[in-house]
Amino acid sequence: MSKESKERAAMGIDGKPLPVLPPDRDVRVWAKLVRVMFYTPGFLALLMLKAGEPTGFGITVELLMLSSAAAVVAGLFVGSQAVGGGMDHPSRIGVWSASLVMELLCVVPFLCAVPPLFHQLANSELLHVRAPGAEDISLGVSELLPAVAVLPFMLYQLAGFGTLSYVVSKTANWIINLAVLVLIIVSYVANRLNNFHAEKIFVGLLVLGMAVAMFRGVMKLKQMQIDYIARCPVTPEKEKKGKKEKLPPADEAPGEA
């Protein structure tokens, strides 16, 4: 599809602008990312169950398992991508849809789970058995360092690298990303205060919002693709190719069966 993207038209046959579709993605890169996002959160969830204190888990393990399970669904979308004959509209947007699933239902829950995960592992009495007379030194503010990973993710989205920026307006993109940042912060604070009921509410709002944005984004990508193909002007190369396909074989005389 790379050749098609280089020749992508901007105006339709009706004189109106065509939908701005995301650029072509490398299927191999996203397939590798699916494997990473499947194994990493799943391993961390098992590590928490093995070495953490269940009373401080909150909803962290559920977030990690959501990230891992959503990666499997993203793999289905990547596998649906098709190039060449037999393509339908869903198969044209397989990788774009997978990127939305990865961005909103894999990366966001993972980033939300990382700060409380690190807090639990850093303060686990099972992992850190203090020697007699040793001083108890808390990590303090440095526990927030893993949470800084949310900043480059916001830059990725707001600078237009993500697929989300193609299915929502610039204002909506800012609102969604600021909401993600705020909900991650307040859910972490609730976890540190052992207010797990409030943490579940904030995390639930975050996951619900990401699921709605992902669903609407995939459906809009499909509609944009349908609209683009329906109104895209036929290029001279396609016209020439179509005429060649209609010509009879050279060894067959006109009028012969």
Side-chain angles (χ1 to χ4, degrees):
M1 294 179 66
S2 59
K3 184 177 180 181
E4 181 182 350
S5 64
K6 293 179 181 178
E7 301 172 354
R8 190 175 287 174
M11 300 297 295
I13 56 178
D14 55 358
K16 297 180 181 179
L18 290 170
V20 180
L21 297 172
D24 296 327
R25 310 292 191 185
D26 193 332
V27 178
R28 297 167 297 178
V29 173
W30 286 95
K32 292 178 181 178
L33 185 59
V34 165
R35 292 197 293 268
V36 172
M37 291 305 300
F38 172 72
Y39 287 110
T40 303
F43 170 76
L44 292 175
L46 293 177
L47 181 62
M48 285 195 70
L49 293 174
K50 180 69 176 178
E53 282 68 45
T55 55
F57 281 168
I59 200 171
T60 306
V61 175
E62 288 87 340
L63 284 171
L64 293 172
M65 294 310 299
L66 169 62
S67 180
S68 180
V72 178
V73 180
L76 296 177
F77 279 104
V78 173
S80 69
Q81 182 77 18
V83 178
M87 284 191 301
D88 56 4
H89 294 300
S91 65
R92 296 174 186 268
I93 63 168
V95 176
W96 297 338
S97 301
S99 65
L100 277 179
V101 176
M102 295 288 288
E103 292 169 9
L104 303 180
L105 289 182
C106 291
V107 177
V108 170
F110 183 74
L111 292 175
C112 186
V114 163
L117 164 69
F118 185 71
H119 172 71
Q120 288 298 319
L121 296 180
N123 295 277
S124 173
E125 294 181 358
L126 298 177
L127 287 178
H128 308 284
V129 179
R130 292 187 293 272
E135 184 179 356
D136 185 12
I137 302 178
S138 176
L139 295 178
V141 181
S142 63
E143 286 186 4
L144 296 175
L145 289 179
V148 179
V150 72
L151 298 180
F153 174 75
M154 293 185 64
L155 180 62
Y156 167 84
Q157 293 286 14
L158 297 177
F161 292 96
T163 308
L164 183 64
S165 61
Y166 291 90
V167 295
V168 298
S169 64
K170 184 177 295 185
T171 302
N173 196 22
W174 272 91
I175 293 175
I176 291 173
N177 282 277
L178 290 177
V180 167
L181 178 62
V182 171
L183 288 172
I184 288 178
I185 292 175
V186 295
S187 63
Y188 172 71
V189 172
N191 179 273
R192 288 298 302 270
L193 297 176
N194 295 328
N195 190 349
F196 302 122
H197 178 70
E199 182 190 13
K200 289 182 179 180
I201 293 177
F202 295 135
V203 170
L205 292 174
L206 176 64
V207 173
L208 179 62
M210 296 301 98
V212 171
M214 182 275 302
F215 181 84
R216 296 192 62 179
V218 171
M219 298 306 295
K220 185 170 183 180
L221 279 174
K222 181 180 178 181
Q223 186 58 45
M224 290 168 62
Q225 181 68 39
I226 293 175
D227 185 28
Y228 183 91
I229 294 177
R231 298 193 296 113
C232 180
V234 180
T235 61
E237 291 186 2
K238 291 182 179 180
E239 290 181 350
K240 186 177 180 181
K241 182 179 179 181
K243 291 180 180 179
K244 286 183 178 180
E245 292 177 351
K246 295 180 180 179
L247 291 176
D251 57 348
E252 183 179 344
E256 291 184 0

